Amino acid sequence: MAVYDNKMTNNSTASNSTVDVVLIGAGIMSATLGVMLKELQPNFTIELFERLDVIAAESSAPMNNAGTGHSAFCELNYTPQLPDGSIEIKKAIKIAEQFETSKEFWAYLVEKGHLGNPQNFIRKVPHMSFVWGEKNVEYLKKRREALVKHHLFKGMEYSEDREQIKKWIPLVMEGRDADEKVSATFMDIGTDVNFGSLTSALIGEMNKKPGVTVNLNHEVNDLKRNADGSWKVVVKDKSTGTKRKLNARFVFVGAGGGALHLLQKSGIEESKGFGGFPVSGQWLVCNNPDIVKQHEAKVYGKASVGSPPMSVPHLDTRMIDGKRALLFGPYAGFSTRFLKQGSLLDLFTSIKLNNILPLLAVGRDNWPLTKYLIQQVMQSPADRLNALKDYMPNAKAEDWDLDIAGQRVQVIKKDAKHTGVLEFGTEVVSSADGSISALLGASPGASTSVPIMIQLIERCFKNHIKTDSWQQKLKQMIPSYGESLANNEALSEATRARTSEILGLA
Ligand SMILES: Cc1cc2nc3c(=O)[nH]c(=O)nc-3n(C[C@H](O)[C@H](O)[C@H](O)COP(=O)(O)OP(=O)(O)OC[C@H]3O[C@@H](n4cnc5c(N)ncnc54)[C@H](O)[C@@H]3O)c2cc1C
């Protein structure tokens, strides 16, 4: 991870009291938005504030997320089975399309020489789903039949043949009960993404541009609307304790788990009723290089009944800073912190008069989640090993160490019917005038950072985006902009072929 001087860089914005854009947080979301805005409007002045002394140390850090380039090739929670037995693939198509858009933007930056070697942040790793038991095998077969008809999922292989599956994933098949019915799908063009490296490369690039200042060790403590509609941002330099106020025409709260508190401080009407529910994660990390090298896939299974979507277990090949790794998880945990390096009071201080009813309603209606979390928290090392053995029957405790993953804050929001609902996706909350926007939630997260930020730009920079220069630039950055990769097979195939070539995935 790149480390920047925590003092402001000596450029034009440092002494100004008003900037065009303040970005809060040095994760993948702020990094993506900052680079996009600077491409679209090179004369924008931008200040980024990060409370930690490094870039991408919360959810975007490689060990804090699973590094899956979510394309819905392997994640079974994106393709639910409907009561009539058919498989719903709408969400899968949307996610696959969104990831193609992300790759388009990364390819544009790689071609311009802005991100260095793409192998530092993206690699081809097959995406597989693996299930056992009659009912699940039937489900996976139907899922593949439904998906493979769509061009975004062309080439997805399916097998119930144990020998074939063993060729794909020997560790998953060795030691498995010979009578157990199993099946798997295999998608060769899956990816593993180091979102930490990508974030560092993006912020490094942004920081080279005139008018950009990256401030590490600076915590944003308050946000107040000025009479002219701009924002007063109060920032504390954590190394000196001094406070500084600056004005921003636009603020992006890309503070991950810290976003809810800042959104609440902004007092915008649109923030009312939002709450957060933290779920922490853990991985088992393989410490035996002989085992690590025998597995070459991201293998996603089926979440157990009643458990939340982000708990889907997976056995994952990862490339982290040039080193190959093998992880299994996530196991869920409970902490009242909203950031891994946050405060134990985070959950309690987020409770306000305007969100208490939605919070209580979610507590009332989500007993299966509560039960699941209690079970997870109570797990012994033997329980965790048993969960791993479902995917790798010959696993031995001594080959695996427990590590802490990132902290997710699931979004709770007002709902007319249920008073409050728990969401597992991401939510962009913007003020009506588009002067402030915050990103809440975590899934499918970093993989969709590019389309999410495009939508945010469309919402908050309404006048700019109509101009020819922004439209032309958007088309350069994302050649499929304004068209549908989901509906246009020829465009989708040409786009995928082009980005694969540039990103070294061909
Ligand atoms: C266990 C787990 C697995 C995941 N797996 C995947 C996956 O496989 N694929 C995928 O695409 N996504 C995955 N995600 C989601 C993905 O990691 C997130 O969506 C993404 O990293 C969020 O980026 P961000 O920039 O919003 O937040 P972050 O990366 O968390 O960055 C927010 C930054 O804001 C800073 N900050 C907070 N408060 C303040 C403040 N007041 N002032 C200044 N700075 C502040 C924080 O220190 C932090 O650096 C996973 C997440 C988790 C937790």
Side-chain angles (χ1 to χ4, degrees), residues 24-29 49-52 58-60 64-68 70 195 218-220 254-256 258 262 283 339 405-408 439 442 444-447:
I24 308 175
I28 187 72
M29 298 297 173
F49 297 101
E50 166 55 53
R51 67 193 285 270
L52 303 177
E58 284 282 348
S59 289
S60 303
N64 287 350
N65 62 68
T68 303
H70 285 305
F195 292 108
H218 280 66
E219 186 167 61
V220 174
L262 288 169
W283 310 114
L339 289 161
Q407 189 74 3
R408 295 178 197 253
L439 188 130
S447 301

Side-chain angles (χ1 to χ4, degrees), residues 141-201:
K141 194 170 171 202
K142 278 190 180 175
R143 178 188 192 264
R144 187 261 181 178
E145 278 165 10
L147 284 177
V148 84
K149 288 185 196 131
H150 193 279
H151 56 266
L152 284 167
F153 300 92
K154 216 179 197 173
M156 182 182 280
E157 294 177 60
Y158 174 84
S159 187
E160 292 175 25
D161 174 10
R162 301 176 73 93
E163 283 311 308
Q164 174 57 62
I165 301 174
K166 195 170 174 183
K167 275 190 204 141
W168 286 330
I169 35 175
L171 294 181
V172 175
M173 293 308 288
E174 279 158 17
R176 190 164 290 277
D177 182 351
D179 297 329
E180 195 173 50
K181 191 155 188 195
V182 293
S183 71
T185 53
F186 180 92
M187 196 67 171
D188 180 45
I189 57 165
T191 52
D192 177 60
V193 186
N194 183 332
F195 292 108
S197 291
L198 178 59
T199 305
S200 290

Side-chain angles (χ1 to χ4, degrees), residues 414-464:
K414 278 194 279 197
D415 177 77
K417 197 167 162 206
H418 304 279
T419 312
V421 284
L422 185 64
E423 297 270 314
F424 292 101
T426 35
E427 184 91 25
V428 176
V429 183
S430 311
S431 61
D433 66 356
S435 62
I436 188 166
S437 198
L439 188 130
L440 305 175
S443 183
S447 301
T448 52
S449 50
V450 173
I452 291 176
M453 290 305 121
I454 296 272
Q455 279 166 22
L456 184 149
I457 289 172
E458 287 170 341
R459 206 186 291 178
C460 297
F461 293 84
K462 284 199 174 96
N463 291 330
H464 288 87

